[in-house]
């Protein structure tokens, strides 16, 4: 990961145009090729970014980041205060707590929770940036990626969005629909998911455990 603190202005030219006036910001270049621009607020969300695959072209005073659609993020550098790179290695990914892991297991056993005709392909389907919790097929044979959380928040939607971007590049899977499943989904997360075409499913954990008990009880 490369971290650059610089006084810069930023222009985005694509489906929309956007301009960030001159200010001191953090520029982040990740190993997956993504480039994002951050201010000292807004929590984790960048001011602007370019998702991979994209190409970074550096020349004196200017970075040009261009994606496969020809959209361009142009960063004009007035002064660089720090330019540091770190090798982070392979991340093991998010470790789920006991309830969340059990919820994933129960949903794998009951894929019809997501709709009639849904079937499980596999749990922990691996992508280049980590495993998506469940890969299903719907009644029409289409691919469905499910991210399972105990509490559904914005970071979970962002995580599923990144998985979907990668999975939809695979011609054997595409098109891949997204489902965000949780016991509780925050309103902001639901709005973001809906905006990105991701379906939200609120899961009744106790009911699922009851389904499990019904199947195991003989008398």
């Amino acid at each position: 990961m490369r971290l650059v603190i610089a006084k810069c202005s930023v222009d985005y030219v694509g489906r929309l145009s956007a301009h960030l006036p001159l200010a001191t910001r953090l520029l982040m270049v990740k190993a997956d090729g993504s480039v994002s621009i951050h201010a000292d607020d807004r929590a984790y969300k960048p001011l602007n970014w370019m998702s991979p695959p994209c190409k970074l072209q550096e020349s004196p005073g200017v970075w040009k980041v261009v994606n496969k659609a020809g959209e361009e993020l142009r960063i004009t550098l007035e002064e660089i205060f720090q330019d540091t790179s770190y090798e982070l290695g392979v991340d093991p990914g998010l470790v789920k707590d006991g309830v969340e892991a059990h919820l994933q297991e129960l949903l794998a056993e009951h894929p019809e929770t997501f709709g009639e005709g849904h079937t499980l392909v596999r749990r922990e389907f691996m992508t280049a940036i980590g495993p998506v919790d469940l890969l299903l097929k719907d009644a029409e044979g289409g691919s469905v990626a499910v991210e399972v959380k105990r509490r559904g928040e914005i970071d979970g939607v962002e995580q599923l969005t990144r998985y979907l971007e990668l999975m939809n590049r695979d011609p054997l899977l595409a098109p891949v629909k997204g489902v965000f499943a949780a016991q509780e989904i925050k309103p902001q997360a639901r709005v973001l998911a809906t905006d990105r075409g991701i379906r939200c499913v609120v899961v009744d954990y106790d009911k699922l455990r009851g389904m499990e008990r019904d199947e195991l009880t003989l008398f």
Side-chain angles (χ1 to χ4, degrees), residues 91-174:
D91 191 273
L94 182 68
V95 178
K96 297 181 181 295
D97 65 26
V99 171
E100 199 167 295
H102 192 217
L103 184 60
Q104 180 194 123
E105 179 184 337
L106 291 172
L107 289 171
E109 294 173 2
H110 302 284
E112 68 278 3
T113 301
F114 303 105
E116 186 177 352
H118 281 62
T119 56
L120 177 69
V121 176
R122 66 169 299 168
R123 291 177 59 191
E124 302 289 340
F125 179 83
M126 186 57 66
T127 74
I129 58 172
V132 67
D133 291 330
L134 303 174
L135 178 62
L136 310 178
K137 290 288 185 182
D138 62 20
E140 291 73 41
S143 301
V144 180
V146 182
E147 184 63 25
V148 180
K149 301 292 185 188
R150 183 169 61 173
R151 175 179 294 179
E153 300 186 5
I154 285 177
D155 57 351
V157 178
E158 295 281 9
Q159 183 181 1
L160 178 55
T161 299
R162 293 192 293 271
Y163 290 147
L164 290 170
E165 285 180 0
L166 287 173
M167 295 172 75
N168 272 302
R169 294 179 204 159
D170 186 340
L172 297 178
L173 295 175

Side-chain angles (χ1 to χ4, degrees), residues 196-214:
R196 296 183 176 180
I198 294 171
R199 181 162 61 100
C200 291
V201 174
V202 176
V203 179
D204 187 331
Y205 179 56
D206 291 332
K207 182 179 178 182
L208 278 175
R209 287 193 297 174
M211 292 167 62
E212 181 185 52
R213 284 196 300 271
D214 288 343

Side-chain angles (χ1 to χ4, degrees), residues 10 13 68 74 76 83 96 108 115 120 122 162 173 183:
V10 183
V13 180
K68 63 180 180 180
R74 179 173 296 196
T76 303
D83 187 344
K96 297 181 181 295
L120 177 69
R122 66 169 299 168
R162 293 192 293 271
L173 295 175
Q183 290 176 268

Side-chain angles (χ1 to χ4, degrees), residues 35-48:
V35 178
S36 56
I37 298 101
H38 298 261
D40 198 13
D41 62 4
R42 299 164 59 92
Y44 61 87
K45 188 174 182 181
L47 296 166
N48 213 326

Side-chain angles (χ1 to χ4, degrees), residues 24-82:
T24 300
R25 300 184 175 95
L26 168 65
L27 312 178
M28 184 181 297
V29 184
K30 292 187 177 181
D32 64 2
S34 63
V35 178
S36 56
I37 298 101
H38 298 261
D40 198 13
D41 62 4
R42 299 164 59 92
Y44 61 87
K45 188 174 182 181
L47 296 166
N48 213 326
W49 68 93
M50 189 72 81
S51 299
C54 59
K55 184 177 181 181
L56 171 60
Q57 303 168 352
E58 295 186 53
S59 56
V62 178
W63 287 9
K64 292 181 182 179
V65 188
V66 183
N67 66 12
K68 63 180 180 180
E71 298 169 321
E72 181 180 311
L73 191 66
R74 179 173 296 196
I75 305 169
T76 303
L77 303 164
E78 181 175 285
E79 185 176 1
I80 296 176
F81 303 107
Q82 183 175 329

